[in-house]
Amino acid sequence: MSGARPTLVVAYDEGAAHPGDIAVGLAGWANCVFVAEPNEHTRTMEPLLSQFGSVLWADSVALAADAVRAHKPDGVVTYTERGLGLAVELADALGLPFHDRPTFAALTDKWEQREALRHAGVDAVRCHRIDAESDWPAAVAATGLPAVLKPVHGGGSRNTFYIDDADTGLELTRALLAQSRPGLVAGGTLVLEEYLVGRDCAPFGDYVSIESVVQHGEIRDLAVTGKFPMVPPFRETGRFWPSPLTPDEDEQVRALARQAVEALGVVTGLTHTEVKLTPQGPRLIEVNGRLGGGINELARRALGLDLIELAGRVAIGESVSLPPVYRGRAYYQLFHPAPRQAATLVAIEGVDDIKALSGVTLHRPYVRPGTPLPGGVETREMDIVMGEAHDIGELAVIAKQVESTLRYRFDFPATPDAPARTCTVTAAELGRL
């Protein structure tokens, strides 16, 4: 390494861990060099990032790599899906460990990932790439209906739709292909995937995620993350440790995740693998080559472990020790997505009541009353409730109390089909809006 304190290159972009959290995880033991592509978000965050390290702009990867080289970097890391491409380019230019290009393609391109998993015999979810409107009939023939339509490069349920009618799907396909950026990168390529029908997991969701650490190709699991039920079409509402799975189910989903991570060629870093729980057994939703959203906060409360720091130490090649897969008290994050219809948030009511509940430690609003909400199917969190419980059974009771107590009031503007209206719903009813 370059000295007593290693130097970490952090590829930064929207959707990353907050700069303050990155500083908590890294600044005490490493020198940080933030590299970012210039855009509205990164320009806004530059003053805060600069408090914790140097900030370099990647107008050109080659020029950015030359500038980084002067800092004698020891590793490259990113905490956002949007930063993976830049991190791959910088690591390649600097000769530092990270995902190689084929692995990066398989981690970020949903079509490439399904093909890699199918060829490896890991999971064969029916899938078809859509580059043009003319691909639609073949896609429906390949996957059948119902199916899921989404961008090849996507995240956060952005432009992700449940399709059970071919004509409606064709209209959506035409509209998405016309967008310059329906997903996270420029270009309108889409994918149609077989819809995986989940089994009844009430009161929790029918999917989980597996949080893993990979060093020199060795995969070790930190936890299986349970989920609260999605609301239509595919918007998340929260997560918790440990999962509600039985020991046998736990081993099944972890084994499937390990096979998938190996098949995609991941040899270093953190992975976040989502798995659907179906009546026929676990099926892969997707593998992500970075720390999952919200997972670091759970790890800090449940294990006293900072995964931002852990990812940084893995990036410099330091061997890290890990605790056993987490199976202790229940720690949760319960959040509430904005309506799919455009609206203005008028008020959130019942906050004091839920704060008084045993097992609730925090309510944090993300949207102020009076804020216009644009609508759409992307998960857009309005607030979050956090806390803990003795076990999964008690967690279910707490979640039900929170969902029946919190109330949201919205003003909906007039549309050609309906007059303007004000609507108040409980958190449990919010998903229908």
Side-chain angles (χ1 to χ4, degrees):
M1 295 185 186
S2 55
R5 282 173 61 93
T7 295
L8 265 172
V9 179
V10 182
Y12 180 84
D13 207 332
E14 188 173 2
H18 189 274
D21 291 330
I22 296 175
V24 168
L26 302 182
W29 60 276
N31 300 317
C32 293
V33 179
F34 296 96
V35 183
E37 295 179 354
N39 57 45
E40 182 179 357
H41 173 80
T42 56
R43 291 290 190 191
T44 300
M45 300 302 288
E46 179 187 12
L48 186 55
L49 292 170
S50 64
Q51 294 181 35
F52 309 124
S54 303
V55 179
L56 303 176
W57 297 111
D59 298 282
S60 154
V61 172
L63 292 176
D66 285 341
V68 169
R69 200 170 280 110
H71 292 265
K72 299 181 179 179
D74 298 293
V76 175
V77 70
T78 189
Y79 300 102
T80 173
E81 189 79 9
R82 296 175 188 268
L84 281 171
L86 178 57
V88 166
E89 295 283 351
L90 290 170
D92 185 59
L94 296 166
L96 294 172
F98 200 68
H99 305 313
D100 62 23
R101 293 176 188 274
T103 297
F104 165 70
L107 287 169
T108 57
D109 183 310
K110 298 182 188 304
W111 166 252
E112 294 284 350
Q113 183 168 127
R114 288 296 186 198
E115 283 291 280
L117 294 173
R118 182 176 65 83
H119 283 299
V122 175
D123 199 3
V125 174
R126 298 191 303 274
C127 179
H128 199 281
R129 186 183 179 98
I130 301 175
D131 294 294
E133 183 181 329
S134 58
D135 294 328
W136 176 251
V140 174
T143 66
L145 295 179
V148 182
L149 179 67
K150 54 189 173 183
V152 161
H153 300 92
S157 300
R158 179 176 176 175
N159 283 328
T160 301
F161 297 92
Y162 174 83
I163 306 296
D164 59 3
D165 175 76
D167 291 338
T168 301
L170 177 59
E171 291 178 11
L172 277 169
T173 296
R174 188 179 295 123
L176 292 175
L177 288 172
Q179 297 182 20
S180 61
R181 192 185 291 263
L184 297 180
V185 302
T189 303
L190 310 173
V191 67
L192 190 69
E193 290 186 354
E194 169 189 358
Y195 175 68
L196 300 174
V197 179
R199 63 176 174 81
D200 183 4
C201 297
F204 302 116
D206 60 3
Y207 70 115
V208 296
S209 64
I210 298 87
E211 323 307 334
S212 306
V213 180
V214 188
Q215 281 196 291
H216 310 296
E218 179 187 357
I219 303 166
R220 293 174 290 170
D221 300 327
L222 283 167
V224 178
T225 304
K227 307 284 187 172
F228 291 106
M230 283 187 176
V231 295
F234 299 102
R235 294 176 294 160
E236 296 201 31
T237 63
R239 58 187 76 88
F240 54 91
W241 279 11
S243 83
L245 299 183
T246 65
D248 284 347
E249 292 171 326
D250 181 276
E251 181 50 43
Q252 287 177 28
V253 300
R254 289 172 56 203
L256 180 59
R258 286 194 298 271
Q259 292 167 16
V261 170
E262 289 174 355
L264 300 184
V266 178
V267 296
T268 187
L270 274 59
T271 59
H272 170 76
T273 305
E274 295 181 348
V275 171
K276 186 84 165 184
L277 306 171
T278 81
Q280 294 75 37
R283 301 291 301 277
L284 277 167
I285 299 174
E286 63 182 23
V287 181
N288 299 278
R290 38 82 185 168
L291 176 64
I295 300 301
N296 186 53
E297 194 279 333
L298 288 177
R300 291 179 68 177
R301 280 194 288 153
L303 293 170
L305 186 64
D306 191 308
L307 299 187
I308 291 175
E309 176 181 353
L310 184 74
R313 293 191 181 277
V314 169
I316 64 171
E318 181 178 320
S319 294
V320 296
S321 60
L322 299 178
V325 173
Y326 184 75
R327 295 189 175 91
R329 286 175 60 86
Y331 293 87
Y332 71 90
Q333 303 163 351
L334 183 60
F335 45 83
H336 302 101
R340 289 169 289 172
Q341 308 166 50
T344 297
L345 177 67
V346 177
I348 302 178
E349 302 167 346
V351 172
D352 289 340
D353 293 329
I354 66 159
K355 285 181 176 179
L357 293 174
S358 175
V360 174
T361 56
L362 174 72
H363 174 269
R364 177 178 295 155
Y366 294 139
V367 179
R368 295 179 180 178
T371 300
L373 301 166
V377 299
E378 183 175 359
T379 300
R380 182 176 285 105
E381 299 169 15
M382 294 189 297
D383 65 352
I384 191 168
V385 180
M386 293 190 283
E388 61 184 274
H390 291 295
D391 53 31
I392 295 299
E394 186 179 70
L395 171 60
V397 173
I398 294 169
K400 185 175 181 179
Q401 290 175 316
V402 170
E403 296 298 88
S404 62
T405 303
L406 277 178
R407 300 176 301 281
Y408 300 81
R409 191 185 316 155
F410 302 97
D411 282 340
F412 290 92
T415 68
D417 301 319
R421 62 191 176 100
T422 296
C423 178
T424 301
V425 296
T426 65
E429 300 166 329
L430 187 59
R432 64 180 170 82
L433 296 181

